[in-house]
Amino acid sequence: MAEKTFPMTLEGKEKLEQELEELRTTKRAEIIERIKIARSFGDLSENSEYESAKDEQAFMEARIKEIQNMLNHAEIIDNKSIDENEVAVGKTVTFQEDDDEPETYQIVGAAEADPFEGKISNESPIASGLIGHKLGDVVSIDTPSGTMQVKIIDVK
């Protein structure tokens, strides 16, 4: 069975590498210090500070493994061979539904997705519905809240 790949932009890969470095250096040291201080309080069986620090350590170590896996299986997106008017991962697309305000999103891999920053996952219903279509196309997209008809008005 093939390993899952994680499509991402070069910027997204660099951001993950920075997060990994921060976790490995700064955060690990901070948590180790918190554990050391909590141990000094005595009985570990009723020490909430110790339990909290250990839980945070476990969460952080899981995140480190997750990031390492994503980076090991990263697929850097290269849109040079794709038509400049075609929606693809790594591109920014603006679309409009009926008379609503236009919406603009950059389509990125799931590892980079952050809707609050205008980045949606290529696996989301909207992005997967738009990918492969071109500027000017009217696209029917199935979403959890129903089908929407949108017109692609810009691709960058």
Side-chain angles (χ1 to χ4, degrees):
M1 185 163 83
E3 290 285 332
K4 179 180 178 181
T5 59
F6 296 90
M8 62 182 74
T9 61
L10 188 57
E11 174 189 327
K13 183 177 186 238
E14 290 169 355
K15 191 174 178 181
L16 279 177
E17 288 170 339
Q18 289 171 355
E19 181 183 351
L20 182 60
E21 184 64 22
E22 170 78 10
L23 290 173
R24 284 181 170 165
T25 56
T26 309
K27 290 289 186 183
R28 259 189 187 151
E30 288 173 3
I31 292 173
I32 289 170
E33 186 62 29
R34 281 187 50 213
I35 290 170
K36 189 189 306 183
I37 292 169
R39 276 189 175 151
S40 71
F41 296 151
D43 184 9
L44 299 181
S45 65
E46 295 181 18
N47 188 330
S48 64
E49 288 87 2
Y50 178 77
E51 288 299 318
S52 174
K54 290 298 281 183
D55 288 346
E56 188 176 346
Q57 182 182 41
F59 178 79
M60 183 201 59
E61 293 299 331
R63 179 67 181 154
I64 287 172
K65 285 182 180 178
E66 178 184 33
I67 293 171
Q68 287 172 326
N69 183 50
M70 286 189 283
L71 291 173
N72 289 339
H73 298 96
E75 181 183 319
I76 303 303
I77 299 155
D78 179 15
N79 287 323
K80 292 181 181 111
S81 62
I82 297 175
D83 182 334
E84 65 181 32
N85 292 319
E86 184 177 336
V87 179
V89 178
K91 292 194 176 184
T92 300
V93 61
T94 302
F95 59 88
Q96 186 171 14
E97 181 179 18
D98 300 323
D99 294 329
D100 293 348
E101 288 293 313
E103 295 181 49
T104 302
Y105 295 103
Q106 181 182 15
I107 299 175
V108 296
E112 290 179 78
D114 185 350
F116 297 111
E117 287 188 20
K119 296 179 178 187
I120 59 173
S121 167
N122 62 313
E123 298 171 1
S124 71
I126 291 175
S128 61
L130 292 171
I131 291 174
H133 291 279
K134 296 187 178 195
L135 179 66
D137 286 355
V138 175
V139 182
S140 182
I141 301 172
D142 291 324
T143 68
S145 59
T147 301
M148 57 192 277
Q149 294 271 36
V150 300
K151 181 174 183 178
I152 301 171
I153 56 177
D154 193 26
V155 179
K156 295 180 187 166

